[in-house]
Amino acid sequence: MTNLEIELREESASHLVEHLLSRIGTPFPTLAGLGTTRLVHAVAWNHVVFEEGPEAVRRRARGLVIRAEVEVRHFSIDELRAANDAEPKVSRGSAWLDVRARGGALEIDLLEIAIGSGNQAFIPSQRLVGEVLPVGESDIETALLMRSDGIVTLRLFGKGEHVDQRPPSNHALTFGGQWLIHVPANVIMTTFERQLTDTVVSANIGAIEEPAASEWLQYDDGAWGVRGAIGVLSEKGCGVASFSVDLEYETRLQPSSDTGELVTSIVLDTNVSDWDSFKCALFWAGMPAGGLFGPGFVEAMVLSSPVIAGIASGELVDAKPGGRIERIGETDDGVAFRSIVSLPSLPRNRIVDAVVDARGLFVLGTLLAPPVQATKVCLPSPSLASEWSTRVDCGQLRVVHEPSAQVAIVEHTITMPGADARPENVPARTFTSTTVEPAEDWRLDYERFPSARARIRVSGVEGGRAREGLLIAHTSAGVFARRVAPPGEPPVLSEVVVKGLLAGCRRLRSEWAPSMRLLWRPDPPPFVERSGKRLIRHWLVAFKDVAEGGMIRLRIAATGHGGDWVEARPSDGQTEAFVELLMETATHVEVESSGTSAPNMRVAQRYLVEESNITLPEPTAGLVKRGRKAFLRCASQTYALDLGRLRLEPVTDADAIAVAGCQAGSTVTLGGVVLVVVDGNLLLCRPGPIDTQVTEGLPCEAF
């Protein structure tokens, strides 16, 4: 993949940066130049240009420096108190940003902003955009971003490849167009050779006698392509002795900008005397789907799929989604195929020309990535309803009534220009400047990570008067004020009902048997059941004074059904043990003790409300928390969780060794978020209040 290049004219690169910036929410809650009492509502990034920038900015930049005019809309809390629909004030200034390519992503960082009464430097720089590069697969390891003569060039390199830092080629100056993708001839040849070699080896056709060797050439008909050969020693006789064969290949590349497709003709010839035996050997080898010339790192390099399987079967096969390959002829010692795949392109752009010459494949296009046309934020309006919730406090043997308001759900969507445009979600973050008043009556609970549906929960303070409140929700989607309606008169429970609620606490504290059942007690968080969010029941059952050699068994069970038993044993020399359980539908846990004496037991329960999830790349052995980071330990790889971008990233060998010495568990709490693994997914959950059924025994340190 060495020296695969994407070129954009400077004005096109500026428009692309504006487009990417228009897709993000507000990146900061306040700005020093506006004063810490001004809450930033929205930021517009306009007139992006590439400049050298001040010296202080250049020293900190790791890529290309750009300047943008910014328009900031902001409120004060007093303005929001006065009117829910207050209009924000507008301030204008300039921002310096650092644009660079790293691995498989294009990154834009904020370095400095000048607005209001002064400059504010962001140290360290603040990440605004981390966009996956529009071409390539996971094998992109290094990327260079360069600027020369009005052209911005992105050069990509594969794993282990030499990073070529020669000056940009600037082919766009010759070809024209707003952007250009160049796949060099040597990349096409080496990719073809590698895929051919890998397929012959993986299919167990035979040993490689002569490595694949190719040349890039122009045929008599004017077409350009690859010609070469590979030597194979086959031991799959199929009725004849083992034989050697030279597999010779010729390809012709014919791109079409009208259809946006690359048509590649592939001719395979052999010098083996018994062609039918060779076909039998290929078929006997059992070529897997995807075989010869499988997907490469760029769509243009998908020079088909199971060609060898096609030699044996002669059928039309799929090359990949949007592509196809068909056999177009056969001779006494060879076969011809035609492959049709999509040309490489930038997303949301249009191809205007495609050329193949001595330097390789060139695809040219126009930029169709204007700034976002419209944004939409969904919030309950004009006020939040509230109701009374009842909980049992087994620690103090009492029933408590607390007001709980409707959850404010913030959804941030954007719409691109165009008749077929569909709204896209922008994960919203709740800033710590979010407040609720009066503080003596209401308290806040919200997640500390971006979410497609950011939730802000307002609940009453025990002993508060539940007066009308004011929620000022400050999020990356904007600043919003909502009234919190009082819940009315608290419920009055009869003495019989109160005694019934407390009976479970007393029974659990006073009775113990070798076999008993623990029931789930907490009520679902208010309004959550109606929201359709996934609810996880989280248990921690702790034991103290377990007899020497004793063992506790627990089993999750639903009504009328049993599950597998989980054992809890104290460590050597210890008398304490605990078990952590996660369930969705089961309603109780069965407990058995092997000892004759009853150990002290404490049960803690709470709901976990799913906010976001990440599909796991492979089965996991557990979650690990080390310092302020969370890690996912899997069979073949250890991953670190990036909460900001909601993705898993493989860790370095040093981090993997350090994490290997840590105890893995089924949950990890990080920044107010509870991480759990359920059904092959990593769930990021908001924890509900803890219901503790027994006060004796171990402290519930896991919570």
Side-chain angles (χ1 to χ4, degrees), residues 446-529:
Y446 54 87
E447 56 265 27
R448 269 66 172 176
F449 58 92
S451 174
R453 305 181 77 213
R455 285 169 166 75
I456 305 172
R457 182 173 180 268
V458 179
S459 57
V461 175
E462 185 178 347
R465 290 177 287 173
R467 295 169 292 180
E468 181 181 78
L470 175 65
L471 168 66
I472 297 178
H474 191 192
T475 73
S476 58
V479 184
F480 311 96
R482 293 293 184 270
R483 301 291 169 180
V484 181
E489 295 298 322
V492 178
L493 302 181
S494 68
E495 185 177 349
V496 173
V497 172
V498 172
K499 286 183 177 180
L501 292 173
L502 297 177
C505 298
R506 294 193 179 94
R507 181 165 55 250
L508 187 58
R509 295 176 66 182
S510 60
E511 298 177 6
W512 170 261
S515 179
M516 64 182 302
R517 174 177 292 186
L518 305 178
L519 300 179
W520 180 262
R521 301 189 58 85
D523 293 325
F527 302 99
V528 171
E529 282 191 314

Side-chain angles (χ1 to χ4, degrees), residues 49-66:
V49 293
F50 286 83
E51 292 186 3
E52 294 299 324
E55 182 181 352
V57 169
R58 293 198 305 270
R59 284 200 306 265
R60 294 178 53 210
R62 293 174 291 178
L64 302 180
V65 176
I66 60 175

Side-chain angles (χ1 to χ4, degrees), residues 607-625:
Y607 273 104
L608 302 177
V609 184
E610 177 193 0
E611 299 296 346
S612 301
N613 69 77
I614 301 173
T615 301
L616 298 180
E618 57 179 309
T620 177
L623 289 161
V624 173
K625 182 178 179 181

Side-chain angles (χ1 to χ4, degrees), residues 316-364:
L316 176 70
V317 293
D318 290 332
K320 63 171 297 181
R324 58 193 184 277
I325 179 171
E326 57 184 344
R327 192 174 67 171
I328 58 177
E330 182 175 350
T331 65
D332 291 340
D333 55 1
V335 66
F337 285 87
R338 179 171 57 233
S339 164
I340 303 175
V341 296
S342 298
L343 285 167
S345 175
L346 299 182
R348 303 185 185 90
N349 288 266
R350 183 166 61 90
I351 296 174
V352 297
D353 199 5
V355 177
V356 180
D357 64 16
R359 296 165 294 181
L361 171 67
F362 295 90
V363 181
L364 292 73

Side-chain angles (χ1 to χ4, degrees), residues 53-124:
E55 182 181 352
V57 169
R58 293 198 305 270
R59 284 200 306 265
R60 294 178 53 210
R62 293 174 291 178
L64 302 180
V65 176
I66 60 175
R67 180 176 61 83
E69 295 180 9
V70 293
E71 182 180 275
V72 180
R73 298 177 181 271
H74 48 96
F75 293 99
S76 73
I77 292 180
D78 288 339
E79 292 165 354
L80 294 168
R81 286 194 188 108
N84 283 20
D85 56 353
E87 288 294 322
K89 292 185 177 180
V90 179
S91 299
R92 294 176 175 84
S94 298
W96 297 98
L97 302 104
D98 179 16
V99 183
R100 66 176 183 140
R102 185 168 67 94
L106 182 69
E107 299 175 342
I108 304 176
D109 291 355
L110 176 60
L111 300 175
E112 188 173 309
I113 191 167
I115 196 169
S117 61
N119 288 19
Q120 179 178 349
F122 290 80
I123 302 175

